[in-house]
Amino acid sequence: MTSSARGASTSQVEVGNIGRHGLWLLVEDKEYFLPYEGFPWFRKATVDQILAVELLHGNHLHWPDLDIDLSLDLLAHPESFPLIYE
């Protein structure tokens, strides 16, 4: 008996972990950490709200239940976006 190769993932974005200090996202082949210090909107969100993330237009993350929109450029190069939430 032979086993077949696994298929490609159909999900373009996946929440890998939700922890005490932030959450991990896997977007296509890259992993990003979103600390609550820099992204406080996720701190009190429910697991279901955080898991309901969509990748739009290849570079735009959207959480419809939380009304949050982030670009992959922001996650990859935070130094280029110096404004900090206060």
Side-chain angles (χ1 to χ4, degrees):
M1 178 200 276
T2 61
S3 60
S4 61
R6 291 182 179 207
S9 173
T10 58
S11 176
Q12 295 176 329
V13 60
E14 181 179 330
V15 177
N17 188 22
I18 301 171
R20 176 182 288 179
H21 301 288
L23 59 111
W24 288 94
L25 290 178
L26 180 62
V27 183
E28 296 176 341
D29 292 329
K30 294 187 181 182
E31 193 170 38
Y32 301 94
F33 178 65
L34 284 67
Y36 296 138
E37 184 177 295
F39 302 91
W41 317 284
F42 297 108
R43 184 183 308 274
K44 296 199 182 206
T46 67
V47 171
D48 285 341
Q49 289 173 320
I50 293 173
L51 292 176
V53 59
E54 304 168 344
L55 180 63
L56 306 175
H57 313 295
N59 66 352
H60 177 98
L61 295 170
H62 177 64
W63 285 264
D65 297 340
L66 298 170
D67 195 27
I68 296 174
D69 295 279
L70 299 173
S71 74
L72 291 180
D73 291 336
L74 168 71
L75 301 181
H77 305 287
E79 69 280 358
S80 299
F81 300 87
L83 294 179
I84 298 173
Y85 171 83
E86 293 184 25

